[in-house]
Amino acid sequence: FDLSQTDGDPLPELGVEELSASVENYEIFMEAIRSVAPVPVRFDEISSGAKGYYSNTEKEIVLQSDMPELQTMKTAVHETAHAILHDRDIMQAQGIQKDQMTRECEAESVAFTVLSHFGMDTSEYSFPYIGGWSSSREMKEVRSSLDTIRKTASEIIDGIENSMREQLLERNADRYEIYQIGDESPARDYKFMGLEYTQSHGFAIRKTDYDLIYTAPLAEGETLDSLYEKFNLDHPADFTGHSLSVSDVILIYQNGEDHAFYVDS
């Protein structure tokens, strides 16, 4: 039947055409993804209409030019997962065989997990995509990929975070850093204690006793108070420390100078 011969409410669309959101610190994120990808990443016009692909022959990732930032990042991570997990030569050498359904489900799941970690929601695109590929799979087949997805996403996340830190340092950009006392740190005796307590008990507050937990660009107008609120009320998705508390240290690097501040009671 032609559509004009049918009645009823329109059928729901399967997902969206494209993720259209912009991404804060997009250039830094993309450079970090390039550093994690095991092959070169380049932009080009893709005649097939695909948003990107990993070439098993050329050993490169190609992304469609001029896509929105979130779509570009999602596609870049998706194709990076293919390059890590599904390179034809590597799979043959390891005796691994995966059909296209499995490969696509793994790559898109990794992309969704990685971007979710950094506070970017691709579910409107990723969920229908994964559903379309996995609808015919048995649950045991889906479960068999979960450990692969988790491990690969974790490796990519760690690589992106390390690259972003290095880029901020290299660019000498205005930024802030959050330091916290670890459970095994020599400073654990004054963890969560105010400055008066540390001074009266003769504790020296040393940078070497702290762990760098988080760093990010310092946004215009951002202050110590706004950072305190951010890391207590609605901290970034990729922040893995405890809520900003007494004995934590915030370092502000701005205009070529850095100043460290003790979070007091």
Side-chain angles (χ1 to χ4, degrees):
F1 293 87
D2 181 76
L3 182 64
S4 63
Q5 296 174 280
T6 63
D7 297 316
D9 294 332
L11 292 173
E13 296 287 337
L14 183 61
V16 294
E17 289 290 325
E18 201 169 62
L19 296 166
S20 58
S22 59
V23 176
E24 187 177 359
N25 302 313
Y26 168 74
E27 295 296 338
I28 295 177
F29 266 115
M30 283 302 298
E31 186 59 35
I33 295 171
R34 287 177 185 272
S35 74
V36 172
V39 297
V41 179
R42 67 179 178 88
F43 289 88
D44 204 346
E45 291 297 322
I46 302 176
S47 58
S48 68
K51 300 186 186 305
Y53 64 86
Y54 168 62
S55 172
N56 271 293
T57 55
E58 302 297 330
K59 305 300 182 189
E60 65 175 0
I61 291 170
V62 180
L63 304 176
Q64 171 61 41
S65 302
D66 301 323
M67 291 191 297
E69 292 177 349
L70 183 57
Q71 182 67 55
T72 300
M73 281 190 56
K74 199 285 302 178
T75 305
V77 177
H78 178 107
E79 301 305 334
T80 296
H82 276 314
I84 294 172
L85 295 174
H86 308 136
D87 177 80
R88 184 171 52 215
D89 297 335
I90 294 176
M91 287 201 299
Q92 286 179 353
Q94 296 177 350
I96 298 173
Q97 291 185 338
K98 294 181 180 180
D99 60 28
Q100 189 176 6
M101 287 185 180
T102 300
R103 297 195 303 269
E104 292 303 325
C105 286
E106 288 181 349
E108 189 67 15
S109 296
V110 167
F112 170 77
T113 303
V114 169
L115 268 67
S116 293
H117 175 83
F118 292 105
M120 292 172 245
D121 183 14
T122 67
S123 57
E124 62 177 344
Y125 187 97
S126 296
F127 286 3
Y129 186 104
I130 295 168
W133 281 108
S134 64
S135 59
S136 63
R137 315 304 285 175
E138 295 291 336
M139 184 54 66
K140 63 181 180 181
E141 295 175 295
V142 175
R143 286 199 188 102
S144 68
S145 289
L146 292 181
D147 189 57
T148 297
I149 293 165
R150 178 198 59 77
K151 183 171 180 275
T152 306
S154 178
E155 291 173 355
I156 293 175
I157 287 168
D158 287 346
I160 290 175
E161 288 180 337
N162 290 335
S163 174
M164 291 183 70
R165 289 192 186 101
E166 291 173 1
Q167 287 185 71
L168 290 173
L169 291 172
E170 289 174 0
R171 295 182 183 199
N172 214 25
D174 289 355
R175 65 185 184 277
Y176 64 89
E177 298 175 353
I178 293 177
Y179 292 84
Q180 295 182 338
I181 299 171
D183 293 335
E184 304 302 321
S185 169
R188 62 185 178 276
D189 290 336
Y190 65 86
K191 188 175 184 179
F192 303 131
M193 296 298 176
L195 193 59
E196 183 179 343
Y197 177 90
T198 65
Q199 293 172 338
S200 64
H201 287 71
F203 291 115
I205 301 172
R206 296 184 295 261
K207 183 178 179 180
T208 53
D209 294 337
Y210 280 75
D211 295 328
L212 174 60
I213 301 298
Y214 193 80
T215 185
L218 186 68
E220 185 176 353
E222 207 151 36
T223 66
L224 289 170
D225 286 339
S226 67
L227 288 172
Y228 185 82
E229 290 182 7
K230 176 188 287 188
F231 287 90
N232 275 279
L233 301 179
D234 188 24
H235 57 70
D238 58 330
F239 176 66
T240 57
H242 58 69
S243 295
L244 204 60
S245 304
V246 175
S247 78
D248 293 347
V249 169
I250 301 176
L251 183 140
I252 302 289
Y253 183 89
Q254 192 172 29
N255 300 324
E257 297 181 352
D258 57 16
H259 300 276
F261 301 89
Y262 190 90
V263 181
D264 207 353
S265 51

